[in-house]
Amino acid sequence: MERLWQGIKHGAKGLVNLPFRFPTRGVRVMNLAKRAALHPCVAHRGFSGQAPENTMAAFRLALSQSYVSWMELDVHLSRDEVPVVIHDGTLKRTTNGQGRVKELTAKELGVLDAGSWFHPSFSAEGVPTLDEVIAFASGSCRLNIELKGDYVDRDLLARRAVEVIRARQIEQEVVITSFQPDILEAVRRHSQSVRTGLIIDDRPADLIKKIKAIGADYLSIGFRSLNERLLQQTAESSIDVMAWTVNSVSDLRRLSSRPEPFQICTNYPDRWYAVMKEENGSHE
């Protein structure tokens, strides 16, 4: 079983650029490997259901599961212009710090307690840099790097993130996503090779046109906004799709039964795996 999942994990690295030609019927009788390839697992902020989000503990736990082929994470800039991995532009919710992320250096952010809010056993977790996460994950999974637009020069944020990615030579192993089209346009100014994707929790009539207009080819969408028509349109336009954030077993079952290919982003990769085995009739 481990060899099977290692094959899935390494094979999934190319999924984002491959055409999918799965049958539209009989999805429930697919073997486990094909089901996993049809709906790859993206660990949201790492394995954030069992460890504090966007910490190395969450990323380590996610990559200890061989079926996790992608991780999603959030990036802001520190005061010294280092891309750091944290969701909020402010520190209060997930650390023992105060104020805004951009008011502290990367070193100062790294020694904050970014884990006790989740459980005291994670008190040693700080705010990691993007470079730290890339160094850890490179060669094991791909990264969906969301750039946040709070309180910062957005062009500078895009440039610094691209510089880190380029220095690690992983342009083909990542996608940069954002709710903010101007951030994605800035990424394209600084790199022609890094893929970009729009994040949205809506389904406007001109969504495909908007994605193409900013030079993106990836859509990160709230799973409740996903439907058959949109999946048909994205397939016709060669736009890859990730559905976020799917945490309940019932929603995982419903989405994983769809015949169209798209990634499933979840705080609970173990639930994704359990549903995949369940649909496959496997209880190994």
Side-chain angles (χ1 to χ4, degrees):
M1 192 64 183
E2 177 63 22
R3 281 195 300 250
L4 167 66
W5 279 114
Q6 287 296 331
I8 291 170
K9 184 168 74 173
H10 291 293
K13 289 183 177 183
L15 286 175
V16 116
N17 294 314
L18 290 177
F20 290 84
R21 295 292 183 268
F22 289 100
T24 56
R25 296 183 182 180
V27 172
R28 289 181 180 274
V29 297
M30 274 187 192
N31 66 39
L32 192 56
K34 285 185 177 180
R35 289 191 57 79
L38 187 63
H39 299 302
C41 180
V42 183
H44 184 237
R45 306 178 195 173
F47 201 145
S48 57
Q50 292 190 11
E53 63 180 60
N54 283 321
T55 61
M56 293 306 298
F59 300 132
R60 285 191 296 268
L61 184 58
L63 288 194
S64 72
Q65 317 304 311
S66 59
Y67 46 83
V68 171
S69 54
W70 283 78
M71 294 194 300
E72 186 271 352
L73 53 93
D74 306 285
V75 169
H76 289 268
L77 276 187
S78 67
R79 190 179 76 200
D80 49 344
E81 299 182 5
V82 175
V84 292
V85 180
I86 184 171
H87 181 271
D88 299 357
T90 54
L91 297 167
K92 183 177 180 180
R93 182 176 67 87
T94 60
T95 80
N96 64 339
Q98 298 292 324
R100 296 175 177 174
V101 174
K102 73 169 190 176
E103 295 170 341
L104 275 70
T105 66
K107 184 175 181 180
E108 290 168 337
L109 292 164
V111 297
L112 292 178
D113 176 354
S116 288
W117 67 271
F118 189 91
H119 191 274
S121 62
F122 294 105
S123 62
E125 294 297 322
V127 176
T129 66
L130 176 61
D131 188 63
E132 287 178 88
V133 178
I134 289 175
F136 171 70
S138 182
S140 297
C141 79
R142 289 191 165 191
L143 297 177
N144 180 325
I145 300 169
E146 178 182 347
L147 299 187
K148 313 296 282 189
D150 307 8
Y151 319 119
V152 73
D153 179 331
R154 293 177 177 183
D155 186 81
L156 179 63
L157 170 64
R159 176 156 56 93
R160 293 299 188 223
V162 166
E163 287 171 351
V164 171
I165 291 165
R166 185 177 291 132
R168 288 287 179 179
Q169 299 183 325
I170 60 160
E171 291 97 325
Q172 305 308 312
E173 303 294 318
V174 304
V175 59
I176 292 181
T177 58
S178 182
F179 280 97
Q180 310 297 333
D182 58 339
I183 289 180
L184 301 179
E185 291 168 344
V187 170
R188 185 58 60 240
R189 287 194 296 274
H190 297 294
S191 172
Q192 293 299 311
S193 57
V194 175
R195 300 183 69 209
T196 58
L198 182 67
I199 309 175
I200 194 169
D201 193 13
D202 196 3
R203 199 171 56 242
D206 61 346
L207 179 56
I208 303 301
K209 183 178 179 181
K210 286 181 177 179
I211 294 170
K212 291 295 186 181
I214 57 176
D217 61 1
Y218 186 95
L219 171 64
S220 177
I221 188 167
F223 76 91
R224 292 182 179 86
S225 296
L226 202 61
N227 66 7
E228 182 176 356
R229 175 60 179 153
L230 179 58
L231 287 168
Q232 179 183 351
Q233 291 175 328
T234 52
E236 290 171 351
S237 301
S238 299
I239 295 170
D240 296 303
V241 176
M242 183 188 79
W244 55 268
T245 302
V246 192
N247 288 330
S248 77
V249 170
S250 60
D251 287 329
L252 285 164
R253 283 175 179 150
R254 178 173 59 82
L255 289 170
S256 67
S257 69
R258 294 202 62 88
E260 305 92 347
F262 55 87
Q263 299 170 348
I264 294 179
C265 185
T266 179
N267 294 350
Y268 299 94
D270 54 337
R271 295 179 186 174
W272 174 94
Y273 183 43
V275 166
M276 289 292 166
K277 291 199 300 180
E278 174 186 277
E279 296 290 352
N280 188 59
S282 171
H283 298 281
E284 297 176 359

